[in-house]
Amino acid sequence: MSLQFAYWAPNVSGGLVISNISQRTGWTYDANKRYAQMAENLGFDYVLLQTRFFASYGAENQLEAATLASALASVTNKINIITAVLPGLWHPGVVAKIISTIDHISHGRASINIVSGWFKDEFTGYGEPWLDHDERYRRSEEFIQVLRNLWTKEETTFKGDFYRTNEAPLKPKPINPPKIFQGGNSIAEAGRVSDVYFINGNTLEKLKEQIDQVRSLARSNGREIQIGVNGFVIVRGTEEEAKRVLTNIVIHADQKAVEGFKKQVKFAGQASSQGEGMWQNSTFEDLVQYNDGFKTGLIGTAEQVADRIIELKKIGVDIILTGFLHYEEDLQAFGEKIIPLVRQKEEKVKEEITTI
């Protein structure tokens, strides 16, 4: 199966790195409309809209994900639109209706990313309880169960610890069953209930460990699951140029915002059963790209980045989730240079396998 490509929608200000370096990346609706139309014409399969309600890591302005997804659905034709949602701020019945509506607007191109939450202020600021780590993930699993029931059953009665529904209908049903994405520390939950597990950036060895673990858990539940991995992309004419861009991003990092992010995620992770979160081993440099995207190694020449993507495919990655410094040109360059190069290399790998 061919690799699929996704990109983070920059629907929050400040771009995809916590740095004061100049970024040619817009966060407005018009900018995101332009990027989505460009991406689908270049061969991207998905766009992921971030969920953020309060400013964190320097993101002062935020466009709400579901609302923006609905707007992008009406001005695109092919790309699948993933709406990120925070259980705890939404009831799953309301979200099921919203995503079904987006699916109809887009003629079957709606998906959802369940984010269990690491930013306490977004919950307490709206007067909602802040649950311990494991309870947040347990709530997310119930949330997903209710979504699936509403999308597939005539009426849904559900009595859980966090949500209740009583003979609740949902019409119209989605045209296509929306794909459910999940990330973070939700390996066990994703293995039970999700379609795709998103992994933060990491080394090939660490990624392979997580991939094997979540796939094993999915198989034990009689399921198959796809894997997506986050990677921040810097492609330049030489490896030295690309690394110089990375160095400049880190040198100009917004130290106060990075440290604030580090404090928030450390606090969120301490409540887990392991006493640590998914950013536990991240360095200051890693946290400048807030989903550890530098670690994935998509930094270098076009050839080097394409080769790295093929290595990711070989360890079991299905979807490459990309982020960029300058969306105005880097998104287009990735679509024009990297995606075709990866397709060529995929064909070469396929031919090598068939001749063995």
Side-chain angles (χ1 to χ4, degrees), residues 172-211:
K173 303 292 186 192
I175 297 169
N176 292 322
K179 190 172 283 189
I180 296 175
F181 293 73
Q182 208 173 2
N185 281 347
S186 56
I187 289 178
E189 290 83 359
R192 287 192 292 267
V193 294
S194 298
D195 300 307
V196 183
Y197 178 59
F198 269 142
I199 304 177
N200 272 7
N202 217 321
T203 63
L204 290 175
E205 294 75 21
K206 293 293 185 182
L207 290 172
K208 184 70 164 58
E209 288 177 14
Q210 287 181 272
I211 291 168

Side-chain angles (χ1 to χ4, degrees), residues 49 64-74 81-83 99 102 105-106:
L49 279 61
E64 193 280 314
T67 315
L68 181 58
S70 181
L72 294 182
S74 69
I81 303 166
I82 312 169
T83 301
I99 299 300
I102 295 171
I105 294 169
S106 66

Side-chain angles (χ1 to χ4, degrees), residues 316-331:
V317 173
D318 302 291
I319 301 170
I320 307 295
L321 174 59
T322 59
F324 306 92
L325 181 64
H326 304 306
Y327 270 69
E328 294 297 344
E329 56 254 42
D330 290 345
L331 180 69

